[in-house]
């Protein structure tokens, strides 16, 4: 008798579960789920357990609740204070810009004096797009990398900044073409990146839409509400400029969990899209996927908040203002904080006398998709964060079985991460195991809030199957979107690298 | 750190003796997680790796191992009419079970891991962990009296043809453990089907047949137990009259549910004190393992749940048809018999051979449930279906995934 009862309950549960998922899918497909409303059989249950309703400040615009994802909790959040740490040197690094030729035409030689906004180099394939100096000063070196490629042009910054003067630009009478040419010649054009591929867009392309994410959910990422402070006017101006560049809309992705700065909520002339959920909810790629996804042949543009500010400042201040607020983060920094500096600043001054020990890795960007740097290296063009974490080159006895040190994990096999999700960890760079073939399935889908099958996409890339790559949504992804999948990967696969290979293949195909 | 220094000192040279180095590397990475650091991509990695994943599955099976060892002994003594109570002669039953199960376990691992090590050294890659789980599963799905040479042959077949031929761990199409079993099933059917094979240590499963004790029982355990003042194995014992050794499924295929309940009670079947393969009889312990795997997120609950639904649905449909006594067995009682839960928890959920998309998993599990129940009830020769159903659906899993992916691709095309 008891068994019949148990079986009946299981069957009932199963039926309602399937019904629930089907309803959810239906709601998504018909677009009814946009508002974050609950269309399941037990709405009250879901609302209470996940907090599906967005708070009041998110009343304007569309909203999406994302359940998949994972917040990696790390020690070393930057304190909300702005420190001025003058760097002596700055660099423009051609390798920061994907897809340009490895030996661009450098317009300066060592010893030249440049002003902020003066042309440093241009790509021979696209000579109209100028890449300019972020600061004024003396060019001290043009360093070359492998095969005589230009690695960096180093400028010794002036104490008193001098700016290149621009002709005033008349918004009212100018055409879109005039505007594009003005942006390209003034040096702010590279602030814009095109999806797919994450490259600087062509001048004659008209984007379907332009997307800006106003919050970053990556581990220890800077709080952009803090970053935008005092520069609201330039930000709004930047949005106005972008509005002239697209025939579609300018979409702003806002954080539905915490009240964003007024500059974001009250932004004019843009569509507000609220997103609430764990990382990667703040990734612009995820936001595009849920707003107006990229189809084959589409081109959309994306910008970071500080890039929009530099773009706007060209019009509000009439100069190339490459000021950057950078978050210094990580457990191995004595004093994690925000610093005010300029694009391409030398990292040494930020970490000098600030490290807890010598055995560390310095990353420009976050721990998931940043680039490893030496202390003498420079900030990358699109990064606004430095993370310092411990190198993990040590053996751990039975490390795979009994964790002797706590480590962040998506897996419930680690009791600390399963039971206490708010604990912060001091992660290091150990690989935590060896590379294997794909074995476990479904783990990427758990942390990627997109309708994409990452493992099958990876296999399509490895097999060079163009049709599949395109069909499975390669164009919608950028490295940062798959970074969390790579973190969780049981087989320790290099997903971001594979993805970039796929993107490069497709770009070469045209 | 003294141990680490010692291990580093005895590391064999990779060029001079590649096989030794592979072997060393396999054991060393078990003792210590390597000191490699991330490069190119994420800078921190999740603590989860394949070793931990595999070991968690093995851990989930441990209750089955304990009960399996006991049940081998228990069934043996029930057949000869001694110590028929559950706890009577408990120690002797466990010891007898271990005498049977340890050689099976050792042969499986020596043969399987040996082949694994050989191929790893030959291909020059690290030893992969896949056989940890296969090797733990194989003893549990064999009859206790399986001749060891047949076992060795089946493991060899499964690992070489099933896995290495396809490229190693993660590349196989068919479940390795089930492939080993299906090899025995088709190559040596008399050792793995019928009424005779499920109880260990009997000359035959009929009244009056003699027991079949070996050197270990008569010359090591009996003196030892005698010395400890306990009774040992009775070499003169004979099988009790009327004993057949038939499994519940064997009975059900002949006479329906009435024939089953005439011999076994439902409690007995649920708790597993019945003849069968070593690890598959005790349902509560298997369900405990399954729940562990689902809780820690290693096995797919989608496959398990949909397989349960598929089997229940088919059993119910067969009830409605009701052409044979077996079809008329009430649908929920089908779960009391046979190895459904074991197949559900440990076999169907193998991530490599199952469907790899979440939607695909629902379809895959449901079809295993349906096909397995059909084979169990309608196959005239052999009254159990999960092994064949899972292998069958293993072959179809890529096709299921293909259609799921196609629908994803089409959705994207339609959107454009």
């Amino acid at each position: 008798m008891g068994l019949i009862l148990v079986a009946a309950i299981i069957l009932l549960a199963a039926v309602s579960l399937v019904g629930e998922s089907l309803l959810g899918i239906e709601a998504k497909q018909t677009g009814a789920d946009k508002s974050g409303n609950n269309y399941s059989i037990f709405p009250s249950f879901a609302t209470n357990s996940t907090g599906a309703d967005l708070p009041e400040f998110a009343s304007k615009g569309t909203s999406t609740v994302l359940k998949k994802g994972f917040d990696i909790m790390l020690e070393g959040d930057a304190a909300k204070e702005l420190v001025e740490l003058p760097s002596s040197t700055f660099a423009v690094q051609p390798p920061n810009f994907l897809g340009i030729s490895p030996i661009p035409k450098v317009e300066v030689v060592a010893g030249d004096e440049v002003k902020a906004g003066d042309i440093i180099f241009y790509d021979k394939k696209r000579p109209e797009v100028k890449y300019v100096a972020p600061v004024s000063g003396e060019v001290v070196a043009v360093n070359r990398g492998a095969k005589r490629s230009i690695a960096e042009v180093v400028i010794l910054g002036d104490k008193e900044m001098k700016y290149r003067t621009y002709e005033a630009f008349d918004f009212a009478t100018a055409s879109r073409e005039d505007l594009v040419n003005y942006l390209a010649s003034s040096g702010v054009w590279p602030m814009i990146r095109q999806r797919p591929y994450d490259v600087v867009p062509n001048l004659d392309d008209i984007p379907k839409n332009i997307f800006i994410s106003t919050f970053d959910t990556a581990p220890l990422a800077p709080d952009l509400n803090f970053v935008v402070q005092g520069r609201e006017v330039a930000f709004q101006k930047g949005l106005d400029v972008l509005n002239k560049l697209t025939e579609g809309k300018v979409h702003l992705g806002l954080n539905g969990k915490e009240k964003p700065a007024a500059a974001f909520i009250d932004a004019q002339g843009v569509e507000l899209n609220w997103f609430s959920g764990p990382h990667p909810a703040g990734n612009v790629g995820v936001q595009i996927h849920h707003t107006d996804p990229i189809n084959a042949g589409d081109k959309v543009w994306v910008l970071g908040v500080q890039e929009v500010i530099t773009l706007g400042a060209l019009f509000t201040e009439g100069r190339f203002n490459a000021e950057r607020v950078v978050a210094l983060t990580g457990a191995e920094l004595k004093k994690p904080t925000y610093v005010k500096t300029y694009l391409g600043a030398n990292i040494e001054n930020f970490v000098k006398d600030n490290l807890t020990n010598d055995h560390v890795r310095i990353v420009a960007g976050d721990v998931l998709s940043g680039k490893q740097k030496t202390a003498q290296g420079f900030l990358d063009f699109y990064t606004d964060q430095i993370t310092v974490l411990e190198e993990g080159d040590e053996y751990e006895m039975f490390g795979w079985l009994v964790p002797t040190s706590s480590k962040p994990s998506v897996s419930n096999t680690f009791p600390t991460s399963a039971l206490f999700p708010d604990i912060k960890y001091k992660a290091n760079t150990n690989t935590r195991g060896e590379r294997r073939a794909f074995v476990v399935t479904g783990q990427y889908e758990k942390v990627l809030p997109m309708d994409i099958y990452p493992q099958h996409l990876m296999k399509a890339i490895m097999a060079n199957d163009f049709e599949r790559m395109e069909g499975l949504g390669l164009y919608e992804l950028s490295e940062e979107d798959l970074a969390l999948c790579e973190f969780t990967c049981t087989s320790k696969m290099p997903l971001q690298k594979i993805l970039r290979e796929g993107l490069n293949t497709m770009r070469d195909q045209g | 750190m003294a141990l680490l220094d010692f291990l580093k000192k005895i590391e064999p040279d990779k060029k001079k003796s590649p096989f030794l180095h592979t072997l060393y590397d396999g054991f060393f990475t078990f003792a210590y997680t390597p000191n490699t650091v991330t490069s190119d991509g994420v800078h921190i990695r999740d603590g989860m790796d394949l070793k931990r994943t595999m070991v968690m599955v093995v851990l989930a099976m441990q209750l089955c191992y304990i009960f399996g060892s006991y049940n081998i002994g228990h069934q043996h003594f029930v057949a000869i009419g001694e110590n028929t109570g559950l706890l009577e002669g408990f120690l002797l039953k466990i010891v007898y079970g271990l005498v049977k199960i340890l050689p099976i376990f050792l042969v499986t691992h020596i043969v399987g891991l040996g082949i694994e090590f050989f191929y790893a050294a030959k291909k020059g890659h690290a030893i992969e962990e896949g056989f940890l789980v296969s090797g733990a599963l194989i003893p549990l799905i064999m009859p206790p009296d399986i001749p060891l040479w047949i076992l060795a042959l089946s493991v060899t077949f499964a690992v070489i043809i099933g896995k290495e031929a396809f490229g190693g761990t993660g590349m196989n199409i068919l479940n390795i453990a089930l492939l080993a079993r299906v090899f025995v099933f088709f190559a040596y059917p008399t050792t793995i089907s019928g009424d005779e094979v499920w109880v260990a240590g009997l000359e035959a499963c009929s009244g009056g047949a003699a027991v079949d004790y070996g050197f270990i029982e008569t010359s090591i355990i009996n003196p030892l137990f005698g010395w400890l003042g306990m009774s040992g194995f009775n070499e003169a014992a004979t099988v009790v009259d009327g004993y057949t050794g038939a499994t519940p499924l064997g009975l059900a295929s002949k006479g329906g549910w009435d024939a089953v309940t005439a011999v076994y009670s439902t409690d007995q079947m649920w708790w597993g004190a019945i003849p069968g393969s070593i690890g598959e009889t005790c349902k509560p312990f298997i369900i405990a393992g399954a729940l562990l795997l689902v809780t820690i997120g290693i096995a797919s609950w989608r496959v398990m749940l949909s397989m349960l639904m598929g089997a229940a649905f088919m059993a119910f449909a067969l009830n409605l048809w009701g052409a044979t006594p077996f079809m008329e067995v009430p649908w929920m009682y089908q779960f009391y018999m046979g190895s459904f839960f074991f197949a559900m928890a440990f076999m169907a959920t193998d991530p490599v051979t199952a469907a790899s998309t979440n939607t695909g998993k629902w379809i895959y599990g449901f079809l295993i449930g349906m096909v397995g129940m059909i084979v169990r009830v309608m196959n005239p020769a052999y009254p159990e279906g999960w092994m064949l159903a899972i292998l069958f659906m293993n072959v179809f899993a890529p096709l299921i995934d293909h259609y799921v992916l196609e629908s994803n691709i089409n959705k994207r095309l339609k959107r454009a």
Side-chain angles (χ1 to χ4, degrees):
Chain A
M1 212 33 229
L3 190 80
I4 302 175
L5 204 70
V6 170
I9 290 171
I10 290 176
L11 203 70
L12 200 72
V15 168
S16 54
L17 208 88
V18 172
E20 164 114 14
S21 329
L22 286 178
L23 268 175
I25 293 166
E26 188 68 19
K28 276 240 173 67
Q29 278 175 351
T30 55
D33 208 13
K34 273 270 164 67
S35 60
N37 279 345
N38 205 313
Y39 286 87
S40 58
I41 297 178
F42 312 111
S44 63
F45 173 73
T47 308
N48 293 339
S49 58
T50 61
D53 279 344
L54 284 172
E56 211 157 296
F57 57 76
S59 55
K60 212 169 61 179
T62 70
S63 62
T64 312
V65 178
L66 303 171
K67 286 180 186 163
K68 293 172 171 183
F70 184 71
D71 285 322
I72 302 173
M73 307 296 276
L74 297 181
E75 283 179 26
D77 241 329
K80 292 258 171 63
E81 51 187 287
L82 202 53
V83 180
E84 299 229 8
L85 264 179
S87 288
S88 49
T89 53
F90 298 82
V92 191
Q93 302 160 80
N96 286 174
F97 309 99
L98 289 169
I100 74 167
S101 52
I103 312 181
K105 177 82 182 102
V106 180
E107 292 275 86
V108 292
V109 291
D112 283 1
E113 285 288 333
V114 291
K115 294 192 196 111
D118 278 349
I119 296 164
I120 297 291
F121 70 87
Y122 58 83
D123 185 6
K124 282 170 235 170
K125 284 183 283 186
R126 269 192 313 196
E128 318 82 44
V129 179
K130 310 295 186 196
Y131 299 81
V132 301
V135 293
S136 66
E138 183 195 346
V139 175
V140 286
V142 179
N143 294 329
R144 286 177 184 268
K147 294 186 188 162
R148 294 190 50 75
S149 63
I150 308 287
E152 56 202 18
V153 178
V154 184
I155 300 166
L156 183 66
D158 285 337
K159 286 228 167 61
E160 203 62 38
M161 284 279 272
K162 294 192 280 287
Y163 291 95
R164 166 183 164 194
T165 48
Y166 291 99
E167 295 167 37
F169 186 78
D170 183 11
F171 245 108
T173 58
S175 67
R176 181 180 185 276
E177 204 187 336
D178 293 338
L179 178 60
V180 167
N181 289 333
Y182 183 68
L183 293 177
S185 61
S186 63
V188 295
W189 188 258
M191 298 292 154
I192 306 170
R193 275 179 293 174
Q194 172 209 301
R195 292 278 173 98
Y197 310 131
D198 263 328
V199 294
V200 175
N202 287 324
L203 294 186
D204 44 8
D205 284 341
I206 299 176
K208 190 176 155 203
N209 289 302
I210 297 177
F211 291 88
I212 297 142
S213 173
T214 65
F215 66 111
D216 195 341
T217 45
L220 302 177
D223 180 355
L224 296 178
N225 299 328
F226 181 73
V227 167
V228 79
Q229 262 175 33
R231 301 191 282 175
E232 291 87 353
V233 181
F235 181 73
Q236 180 60 47
K237 187 72 194 173
L239 297 179
D240 297 342
V241 174
L242 291 173
N243 250 323
K244 284 220 153 193
L245 293 173
T246 173
E247 286 174 348
K249 288 169 178 158
V250 177
H251 289 276
L252 222 52
L254 293 108
N255 189 357
K257 272 185 175 167
E258 235 176 281
K259 191 172 183 189
F264 301 144
I265 300 187
D266 300 333
Q268 298 301 309
V270 295
E271 295 287 308
L272 300 186
N273 302 305
W274 297 87
F275 294 91
S276 171
H279 185 62
N283 280 8
V284 72
V286 172
Q287 299 176 0
I288 297 171
H289 179 85
H290 288 278
T291 314
D292 191 354
I294 304 172
N295 299 313
D298 284 354
K299 282 172 181 166
V300 306
W301 291 356
V302 300
L303 291 94
V305 166
Q306 303 210 64
E307 279 87 55
V308 177
I309 292 170
T310 301
L311 184 68
L314 179 67
F315 297 91
T316 56
E317 302 166 17
R319 57 184 186 174
F320 185 80
N321 184 349
E323 208 171 81
R324 286 287 179 273
V325 173
V326 175
L328 304 182
T329 62
E332 302 307 315
L333 281 180
K334 282 185 204 152
K335 203 164 162 284
T337 178
Y338 288 83
V339 294
K340 196 173 190 177
T341 179
Y342 294 90
L343 251 187
N346 186 268
I347 292 168
E348 194 161 21
N349 262 15
F350 302 147
V351 296
K352 200 172 64 183
D353 307 325
N354 199 2
L355 297 178
T356 54
N357 69 71
D358 288 340
H359 199 54
V360 295
R361 176 181 298 191
I362 299 168
V363 176
D366 62 74
V367 288
L368 292 178
S369 49
K371 293 273 170 289
Q372 183 173 357
K373 296 276 170 182
T374 61
Q376 287 74 42
F378 297 91
L379 264 180
D380 286 330
F381 195 82
Y382 300 105
T383 52
D384 49 6
Q385 182 186 4
I386 287 172
T387 313
V388 184
L389 71 165
E390 195 190 343
E391 278 288 5
D393 54 344
E394 66 218 8
Y395 295 96
E396 191 179 354
M397 198 171 190
F398 296 124
W400 53 277
L401 183 63
V402 272
T404 46
S405 61
S406 62
K407 40 193 96 139
S409 175
V410 174
S411 160
N412 280 346
T413 63
F414 291 91
T416 47
S417 52
L419 300 175
F420 311 104
D422 291 335
I423 288 186
K424 292 193 171 183
Y425 296 91
K426 258 177 97 162
N428 67 29
T429 63
N430 193 287
T431 51
R432 309 271 177 231
E434 299 163 288
R435 168 88 55 86
R436 291 289 182 263
F438 288 117
V439 169
V440 180
T441 57
Q443 57 174 348
Y444 303 145
E445 284 88 336
K446 276 187 201 161
V447 293
L448 183 70
M450 294 166 103
D451 184 20
I452 281 178
Y453 294 97
Q455 189 166 329
H456 301 92
L457 177 61
M458 291 298 117
K459 286 181 177 172
I461 294 173
M462 288 162 153
N464 252 332
D465 184 341
F466 298 153
E467 247 167 71
R468 275 247 152 145
M469 284 189 229
E470 197 174 297
L472 289 174
L474 177 76
Y475 297 139
E476 300 183 41
L477 289 171
S478 170
E479 278 107 322
E480 56 172 15
D481 302 323
L482 276 192
L484 194 61
C485 299
E486 185 176 328
F487 164 78
T488 65
C489 183
T490 302
S491 299
K492 314 292 173 191
M493 280 283 184
L495 302 190
Q496 300 184 79
K497 198 171 149 200
I498 299 172
L499 179 77
R500 180 45 66 185
E501 278 162 18
L503 287 169
N504 284 343
T505 315
M506 291 314 267
R507 198 155 53 88
D508 292 344
Q509 296 293 312
Chain B
M1 284 293 117
L3 177 63
L4 179 63
D5 294 339
F6 171 72
L7 284 175
K8 283 268 125 190
K9 216 155 85 185
I10 60 165
E11 178 168 355
D13 189 80
K14 197 169 181 176
K15 288 231 176 63
K16 269 189 228 152
S17 46
F19 184 75
L20 270 184
H21 186 270
T22 309
L23 205 63
Y24 168 85
D25 188 61
F27 286 107
F28 180 77
T29 54
F30 252 87
Y32 286 95
T33 42
N35 64 344
T36 47
V37 293
T38 51
S39 62
D40 253 14
V42 291
H43 297 275
I44 58 172
R45 285 280 194 178
D46 195 302
M48 196 68 184
D49 70 346
L50 206 55
K51 278 194 177 63
R52 190 172 173 83
T53 311
M54 297 294 187
V55 163
M56 287 295 155
V57 184
V58 175
L59 277 181
M61 283 177 229
Q62 290 315 302
L63 285 175
C64 299
Y65 263 101
I66 294 170
F67 187 83
S69 307
Y70 161 79
N71 196 41
I72 294 172
H74 180 65
Q75 292 309 320
H76 172 78
F77 282 108
V78 167
I80 57 176
E82 288 178 18
N83 300 328
T84 49
L86 279 177
L87 292 177
E88 278 176 64
F90 185 77
L91 199 58
L92 202 60
K93 287 175 185 173
I94 288 270
V95 168
Y96 187 68
L98 287 176
V99 169
K100 289 287 169 189
I101 205 172
L102 279 178
I104 296 179
F105 188 84
L106 286 176
V107 166
T108 306
H109 279 82
I110 290 168
V111 173
L113 286 178
I115 296 169
E116 194 100 325
F117 289 176
F118 172 75
Y119 274 96
K122 210 176 149 198
K123 292 184 193 165
H125 62 65
I127 294 166
E128 293 169 333
E129 293 81 7
F131 196 75
L132 275 181
V133 171
S134 306
L137 280 171
I138 289 173
L140 293 180
I141 55 173
M142 291 293 175
D145 258 350
I146 178 105
L148 294 178
W149 66 272
I150 293 181
L151 179 73
L153 216 54
S154 70
V155 172
T156 313
F157 173 82
V159 176
I160 294 183
I161 304 294
K163 183 151 90 176
E164 299 303 340
F166 286 94
T169 299
M171 310 291 183
N172 47 310
I173 308 272
L174 297 168
N175 187 311
I176 304 303
L178 285 179
L179 206 58
R181 194 175 197 276
V182 89
F183 178 82
V184 186
F185 182 73
F186 283 116
Y188 304 95
T190 50
T191 62
I192 201 163
S193 58
D195 289 347
E196 300 269 321
V197 302
W198 306 110
V199 180
L202 308 176
E203 295 270 326
C205 270
S206 52
V211 289
D212 179 17
Y213 290 133
F215 174 78
I216 298 177
E217 288 94 338
T218 53
S219 310
I220 297 176
I221 296 170
N222 270 352
L224 188 71
F225 270 61
W227 182 67
L228 289 168
M230 294 188 281
S231 56
F233 297 105
N234 178 3
E235 287 163 56
T238 54
V239 176
V240 292
D241 279 340
Y243 185 81
T244 63
T247 60
L249 281 173
L251 295 166
S253 71
K254 289 186 190 104
W257 186 241
D258 293 336
V260 180
T261 44
V263 183
Y264 302 106
S265 71
T266 46
D267 273 355
Q268 213 178 338
M269 283 185 269
W270 184 250
W271 289 99
I274 50 170
S277 294
I278 294 171
E280 48 99 351
T281 56
C282 183
K283 279 80 182 175
F285 285 176
I286 297 166
I287 292 173
L291 286 179
L292 174 72
L293 289 180
V294 167
T295 316
I296 60 181
I298 285 182
S300 166
W301 59 270
R302 291 182 180 87
V303 171
M304 292 197 201
L305 187 62
S306 60
M307 184 170 159
L308 193 69
M309 283 158 57
F313 170 78
M314 200 61 225
F316 189 69
L318 289 168
N319 274 180
L320 295 181
W321 186 359
T324 64
F326 203 172
M327 285 188 195
E328 282 173 347
V329 173
W331 64 271
M332 61 279 180
Y333 288 128
Q334 290 281 7
F335 295 104
Y336 280 82
M337 305 182 289
S339 54
F340 172 81
F341 285 107
F342 193 84
M344 177 195 82
F346 299 115
M347 294 297 178
T349 51
D350 171 13
V352 177
T353 55
S356 56
T357 55
N358 285 343
T359 320
K361 279 173 188 159
W362 282 107
I363 303 169
Y364 170 83
F366 195 84
L367 287 178
I368 289 180
M370 281 182 65
V371 173
M373 194 57 78
I374 293 173
V375 176
R376 171 191 278 194
V377 177
M378 315 242 261
N379 176 2
Y382 179 70
E384 184 57 308
W386 308 114
M387 171 179 77
L388 298 171
I390 292 173
L391 288 171
F392 187 64
M393 290 314 297
N394 279 171
V395 177
F396 274 93
L399 187 70
I400 298 173
D401 282 337
H402 174 80
Y403 283 107
V404 174
L405 294 180
E406 282 298 308
S407 89
N408 185 269
I409 292 172
N410 284 335
K411 217 190 292 175
R412 206 158 266 121
L413 286 178
K414 243 180 242 162
R415 196 176 70 192

